[in-house]
Amino acid sequence: MSMKILLDKVGVAGIETLPVYRAHGGYSAVEKVLKMAPADVVEEVKKSGLRGRGGAGFPTGMKWSFIDKKSGRPRYLVVNADESEPGTFKDRYLMEKMPHLLIEGIVASSYALEANLSFIYVRGEFRWIIAILEKAIAEAKEAGLVGKNIMGSGYNLEIVVQTGAGAYICGEETALIESLEGKRGNPRLKPPFPAVSGLYGNPTVVNNVESIAAVPWIVNNSGESYAKIGTPKSAGTKLISACGNINYPGVYEIELGLPVEEFIFSPSYCGGIKDGKRLKAVVAGGSSVPILPAGLILKTANGEPRLMSYESLSDGGFLTGTMLGSGGFIVYDEDQCIVRNTWNFTRFYHHESCGQCSPCREGTGWMERILHNIEYGHGKLSDIDLLWDVQRKIEGNTICPLGDAAAWPVAAAIRHFRDEFEWHVREPKECLVRNYGLPEATVATV
């Protein structure tokens, strides 16, 4: 089993309460950072190699170092808890099971950024999570771990939980900031970036829940120790929310660099494909990343074992690789329909498009309609090329990454499963009563 630093205490009775959390070493990172210079905390996180766990994978310490310190304006830390990517549910689990780990991370991170007001922007559907977080904050404040003069240090920090309205687009950091300001959640043009002009025009850092929850361990054990976990370019551990046709769905904390094959088939993780069926495909990092067929998710195009890391999953680019993304790991067995799955993802992106950019607003609707026709036996072969053309005109032509997120799954599905799309067109009646299945040439060897 991999080393655990985020979920190691999950299962301890009462760990969601302050007394139990403190009895197991909780808030020791706060005690430590309050004796350090803020800049030294930033340097420690930079040394750790921690990369943002929300999907983009940008180095967290470097992001912190960009925050404007010269203007003298108030700085803010905003924790992005608007977890809405289909297939991703690890932040929800972390907040539900270890709320004080997140609060401890926020205090340590806010101190490093010299912020005195921080926000947790929570997905609106997480009503019970909001109550858990507010209770944890109240406990911490009662104990002098949040609020004025924390632990007698003179440092002040207030934490506010803000509920979102259930829009996927508000997971994009500038749309989140707009929503936090009480406006419609439309992404902003960049630059300026939030580190210079974010919330209320002030310097702001937006980090994912899992990224912030990793900070206490880094503070307590050093950035260098964290950097030794995983691989040189993918340091630390990562929460993976695994679902689909597997024996053991759930949230797993893995050491980055774990072979994908071990993650899928080991009884310590997913436990193999359910009902003894064969592996067909995997979406490795949430619905927005390219789907890969069995052969390419287990091994790279060069025949090397594919690893659960940023660099290995992206090996081959989008032609033969994918992305670690948010860690939403969706497994498909031989009976699943790639056309229907792609249509379903596209329905989601069409519904969630904010409508600000024409390529996304119009293109996602076109893709949904074309995919619906193919799935239900009304498609033409030329529709496949039309679908390719539409996704190509969305990618890279929108203000925010939602356009790319909508285009990439369609492109990858056509690239790797074109035969299945053509079969739907050539067999319009049969595709209504059975799925294409798994060509023998693509059967996984495991």
Side-chain angles (χ1 to χ4, degrees):
M1 293 288 286
S2 292
M3 181 177 185
K4 291 184 179 180
I5 65 175
L6 298 173
L7 304 182
D8 59 328
K9 296 182 180 64
V10 168
V12 174
I15 194 65
E16 73 280 4
T17 66
L18 183 61
V20 177
Y21 185 71
R22 288 280 274 166
H24 286 77
Y27 288 95
S28 56
V30 172
E31 292 182 45
K32 189 171 180 179
V33 295
L34 293 175
K35 298 172 184 171
M36 299 171 65
D40 291 342
V41 184
V42 175
E43 281 305 308
E44 209 60 41
V45 175
K46 287 173 76 173
K47 286 179 191 173
S48 74
L50 173 67
R51 297 171 64 166
R53 302 306 197 211
F58 192 81
T60 302
M62 188 177 295
K63 191 172 189 178
W64 288 8
S65 69
F66 291 157
I67 197 163
D68 177 16
K69 295 180 180 175
K70 296 178 181 176
S71 66
R73 290 176 290 167
R75 301 169 203 164
Y76 302 116
L77 170 67
V78 178
V79 178
N80 186 347
D82 193 53
E83 187 176 55
S84 308
E85 178 99 347
T88 308
F89 43 89
K90 46 94 178 174
D91 289 341
R92 182 191 72 189
Y93 184 82
L94 191 58
M95 291 188 286
E96 185 175 9
K97 302 296 182 183
M98 299 292 294
H100 279 288
L101 179 62
L102 176 60
I103 305 304
E104 183 178 9
I106 291 173
V107 178
S109 303
S110 300
Y111 177 81
L113 296 168
E114 299 179 68
N116 299 113
L117 178 60
S118 296
F119 297 85
I120 307 173
Y121 186 93
V122 186
R123 179 180 171 179
E125 291 90 337
F126 291 171
R127 291 289 174 189
W128 78 102
I129 299 290
I130 294 165
I132 291 170
L133 291 174
E134 288 182 334
K135 181 183 177 186
I137 292 169
E139 284 183 318
K141 197 165 185 176
E142 179 80 21
L145 299 165
V146 170
K148 293 186 180 301
N149 193 25
I150 295 173
M151 291 183 156
S153 65
Y155 175 62
N156 306 323
L157 176 69
E158 297 295 335
I159 302 175
V160 175
V161 178
Q162 176 63 47
T163 309
Y168 173 76
I169 193 63
C170 289
E172 195 279 335
E173 62 179 8
T174 60
L176 186 158
I177 289 170
E178 286 283 298
S179 175
L180 202 51
E181 291 180 357
K183 304 171 190 169
R184 180 187 172 97
N186 281 356
R188 296 176 179 173
L189 283 169
K190 292 182 279 190
F193 291 94
V196 175
S197 180
L199 185 63
Y200 307 121
N202 293 322
T204 304
V205 166
V206 181
N207 278 139
N208 173 260
V209 168
E210 185 184 348
S211 308
I212 294 298
V215 171
W217 195 96
I218 293 168
V219 169
N220 284 328
N221 298 276
S222 83
E224 290 180 353
S225 297
Y226 189 86
K228 291 176 183 175
I229 306 168
T231 72
K233 293 183 179 178
S234 299
T237 65
K238 176 83 186 76
L239 297 183
I240 305 293
S241 41
C243 62
N245 306 118
I246 50 178
N247 284 313
Y248 307 133
V251 176
Y252 296 94
E253 183 173 8
I254 65 161
E255 191 170 329
L256 286 166
L258 179 77
V260 172
E261 185 175 325
E262 182 178 346
F263 182 67
I264 295 175
F265 293 99
S266 168
S268 299
Y269 301 103
C270 300
I273 309 304
K274 197 169 183 180
D275 299 327
K277 294 185 178 179
R278 296 174 296 178
L279 173 65
K280 181 173 184 176
V282 168
V283 171
S287 61
S288 61
V289 311
I291 190 171
L292 286 183
L296 284 175
I297 191 64
L298 298 179
K299 293 185 185 298
T300 67
N302 293 326
E304 299 292 326
R306 184 83 75 179
L307 308 179
M308 299 285 282
S309 68
Y310 292 98
E311 64 273 22
S312 180
L313 284 168
S314 63
D315 185 279
F318 280 3
L319 287 179
T320 60
T322 180
M323 297 169 66
L324 180 61
S326 61
F329 198 87
I330 311 171
V331 179
Y332 302 88
D333 71 20
E334 58 189 292
D335 291 337
Q336 304 311 310
C337 176
I338 299 302
V339 175
R340 187 170 188 81
N341 178 73
T342 309
W343 170 56
N344 206 30
F345 281 171
T346 304
R347 288 171 60 206
F348 172 80
Y349 288 110
H350 181 210
H351 182 268
E352 295 296 336
S353 172
C354 74
Q356 190 174 198
C357 305
S358 300
C360 179
R361 182 185 64 241
E362 302 298 327
T364 52
W366 272 99
M367 292 197 301
E368 182 188 347
R369 288 191 289 275
I370 296 167
L371 282 161
H372 180 276
N373 285 342
I374 296 173
E375 167 64 10
Y376 284 96
H378 305 298
K380 299 174 289 187
L381 284 175
S382 60
D383 284 342
I384 303 172
D385 293 328
L386 177 60
L387 193 58
W388 180 269
D389 195 44
V390 173
Q391 67 79 26
R392 186 177 60 82
K393 288 173 178 171
I394 297 174
E395 183 185 8
N397 291 312
T398 55
I399 292 174
C400 84
L402 190 143
D404 295 342
W408 291 342
V410 173
I414 296 174
R415 182 180 296 119
H416 298 299
F417 298 94
R418 189 176 183 104
D419 288 351
E420 189 162 337
F421 282 81
E422 292 180 353
W423 177 80
H424 273 71
V425 173
R426 292 195 173 101
E427 303 292 344
K429 293 182 179 177
E430 195 170 355
C431 77
L432 298 178
V433 295
R434 74 171 182 90
N435 288 327
Y436 179 71
L438 185 63
E440 288 302 319
T442 65
V443 172
T445 56
V446 177

